[in-house]
Amino acid sequence: MRFRNTGVLDIKSYIKPTNTFQYLDRTSMHNPTVFSGFIKGEAIRHHRNNSNTQNLKDTICKFKSHLKQRGYKEHEIHRNCESALNIERSELLRFKQDSDKQIPLVFVTKYHFSLGNINKALRKHYKKLFRNAKCRELFPKQPMVAYSRHRNLKQILISSVVKA
């Protein structure tokens, strides 16, 4: 409709009619940052793909209702969606060169909920490392935590190596 009047073409997120919105269940034992990252990422995708603000509001509203059905809390949904929607759309559409991205030191470990927030501890003690000139040279960016997957039952029971 707006194209006829102003010549501006609106785009919006396409959602297949057969989509069942089987988002990651909130009661699963994933790292808590997985849930917030997924919500923010999906909200960014909709923000990037919707040029009309009304279409964006409708899409985000439906997205939030689907998340509530999967057990997500209102404040968690709101916080992550708002942080995504506060980014300017032009910034989301900007091409980022590979040189813009520096790869930090990555601390890889298996995830377990009883470990606490390792990332928070690393950030806290990074300041102490940064005081030392040699460490500052070795670690110009803050280290980040990456969780590797535990071996599952299938991997334990079944060997992928074919024995002759």
Side-chain angles (χ1 to χ4, degrees):
M1 192 60 113
R2 193 163 79 153
F3 183 72
R4 287 186 198 151
N5 299 337
T6 63
V8 175
L9 181 64
D10 285 328
I11 59 168
K12 66 179 186 175
S13 295
Y14 176 74
I15 298 170
K16 291 181 180 181
T18 56
N19 191 343
T20 56
F21 305 101
Q22 295 297 310
Y23 299 121
L24 185 62
D25 192 73
R26 189 59 181 99
T27 58
S28 69
M29 292 300 292
H30 284 78
N31 180 343
T33 58
V34 169
F35 299 109
S36 59
F38 139 71
I39 295 170
K40 185 175 180 180
E42 193 73 1
I44 285 174
R45 183 178 75 84
H46 290 307
H47 189 26
R48 186 184 302 123
N49 292 343
N50 285 279
S51 59
N52 183 308
T53 54
Q54 188 56 47
N55 286 342
L56 176 62
K57 286 178 185 176
D58 294 343
T59 304
I60 292 293
C61 185
K62 289 175 187 173
F63 174 57
K64 286 179 177 181
S65 69
H66 294 301
L67 288 174
K68 286 179 197 167
Q69 290 173 356
R70 297 294 290 174
Y72 290 81
K73 302 250 185 301
E74 178 73 38
H75 68 89
E76 180 182 27
I77 298 168
H78 180 74
R79 181 183 70 236
N80 290 300
C81 284
E82 285 306 308
S83 69
L85 297 176
N86 285 334
I87 303 169
E88 287 292 323
R89 185 169 183 262
S90 59
E91 181 64 25
L92 296 173
L93 295 173
R94 186 179 69 86
F95 178 75
K96 295 176 182 76
Q97 296 288 335
D98 285 341
S99 61
D100 293 351
K101 304 169 192 165
Q102 274 191 335
I103 300 171
L105 174 69
V106 180
F107 175 68
V108 181
T109 185
K110 304 273 187 202
Y111 175 74
H112 194 275
F113 65 92
S114 67
L115 287 175
N117 195 339
I118 295 174
N119 207 16
K120 186 177 179 180
L122 275 174
R123 280 194 309 254
K124 177 183 172 186
H125 297 294
Y126 176 72
K127 294 171 187 170
K128 292 176 187 171
L129 282 174
F130 200 71
R131 289 183 201 137
N132 183 302
K134 185 68 173 171
C135 288
R136 192 172 36 244
E137 183 182 321
L138 290 171
F139 310 113
K141 285 191 79 172
Q142 255 185 350
M144 69 183 234
V145 177
Y147 296 102
S148 63
R149 201 173 83 173
H150 289 277
R151 288 180 64 196
N152 60 30
L153 191 58
K154 178 183 175 185
Q155 291 168 326
I156 294 168
L157 296 175
I158 301 171
S159 173
S160 62
V161 179
V162 179
K163 296 177 183 174

